[in-house]
Amino acid sequence: MKKSTFKFYWEDTLLEMLPSRALFLPETKELLISDIHLGKAEYFQQNGIPLTNNLDENNFARIKKLVKKYSPEKLIILGDLFHSKFSINKTLKKKVEDLPELLKTNVELVLGNHDIGCDIKNLKIFDIRKTNNITLSHEPVNLEDNKTLNICGHYHPKLHLKNNGDKLSFRCFAMDENKKTLYLPAFGDLTGGYPCKKSFRKWAIVSEKEIIEIKS
């Protein structure tokens, strides 16, 4: 069944998965996104591959639209805000540093492997961050407490569905229930993805307005 959002509880914490590739925590008013990879087009251009720069503008516009709709107290980016320190020009750097003022909300970054060496002001920076019974990270972390959920990015989860010989690929939220880990889909437009394990619980993003749980 297709839904405009998908809500579920972790212990007593409500999580709301959005087809806009974001996760909202209503109780703490925190909006989570991951793996934007800003500057990726520029990085490819530097290596001789012609790509348009309009993708970053679209990413910024989608972030602004999300924040306007949900009015979070914090926008938390779970790593790989940038694709590389070598692809950050002055214009891109200023746009990122102006985000808290533009969005009228706090912006936090949990560092990802692609963010290493990126010098950015006005954003609160964390290696790992905790909120209630949730641990936020870029890559998955091993938690000893079974009542704590790890929410992370890094893997850009995708799934494939077959229909009458056609094979379709979708970004998705993916839950490793054994390791208590929820993987967020990559938020950035110019990102690839990795197939989910069959054992994972999955929610496919089938359009900008619809999400559907996939039964294994």
Side-chain angles (χ1 to χ4, degrees), residues 24-191:
F24 187 54
L25 281 61
E27 181 182 351
T28 54
K29 299 194 72 174
E30 294 170 324
L31 184 67
L32 313 182
I33 59 176
S34 183
D35 298 280
I36 309 173
H37 287 269
L38 294 173
K40 190 170 184 177
E42 287 80 358
Y43 182 83
F44 275 85
Q45 290 166 7
Q46 292 168 11
N47 290 276
I49 302 174
L51 289 174
T52 178
N53 292 339
N54 293 335
L55 296 172
D56 280 347
E57 291 301 320
N58 188 47
N59 288 327
F60 280 116
R62 288 171 48 236
I63 291 172
K64 186 176 180 180
K65 184 177 179 180
L66 264 173
V67 170
K68 183 178 180 181
K69 182 175 181 179
Y70 288 92
S71 300
E73 292 184 359
K74 294 176 184 175
L75 171 67
I76 304 175
I77 303 164
L78 299 187
D80 288 359
L81 170 60
F82 299 101
H83 186 67
S84 168
K85 65 179 180 180
F86 300 110
S87 60
I88 305 176
N89 56 39
K90 291 182 179 179
T91 300
L92 179 59
K93 183 176 181 180
K94 187 175 188 308
K95 284 184 177 180
V96 171
E97 292 181 339
D98 288 347
L99 272 178
E101 182 177 354
L102 174 68
L103 301 175
K104 306 300 181 187
T105 191
N106 295 309
V107 181
E108 300 181 356
L109 172 63
V110 177
L111 288 173
N113 53 301
H114 282 264
D115 299 315
I116 295 173
C118 299
D119 182 21
I120 296 296
K121 300 176 183 178
N122 302 335
L123 274 64
K124 294 182 179 179
I125 308 295
F126 299 86
D127 291 320
I128 292 177
R129 188 182 179 285
K130 294 184 178 181
T131 175
N132 291 342
N133 56 350
I134 293 173
T135 295
L136 306 175
S137 61
H138 176 61
E139 299 184 39
V141 295
N142 292 320
L143 301 174
E144 296 181 358
D145 182 5
N146 288 331
K147 293 186 177 181
T148 299
L149 176 67
N150 178 208
I151 301 177
C152 63
H154 187 55
Y155 284 114
H156 308 187
K158 284 191 172 183
L159 59 82
H160 300 286
L161 298 177
K162 293 182 179 180
N163 182 31
N164 296 327
D166 293 327
K167 188 176 183 181
L168 302 176
S169 176
F170 299 96
R171 299 172 193 251
C172 68
F173 293 86
M175 178 78 165
D176 183 346
E177 295 183 313
N178 290 327
K179 294 186 177 180
K180 309 296 187 292
T181 303
L182 176 63
Y183 295 93
L184 300 191
F187 187 84
D189 285 327
L190 190 60
T191 53

Side-chain angles (χ1 to χ4, degrees), residues 7 18 205:
K7 300 177 181 179
L18 312 176
I205 297 169

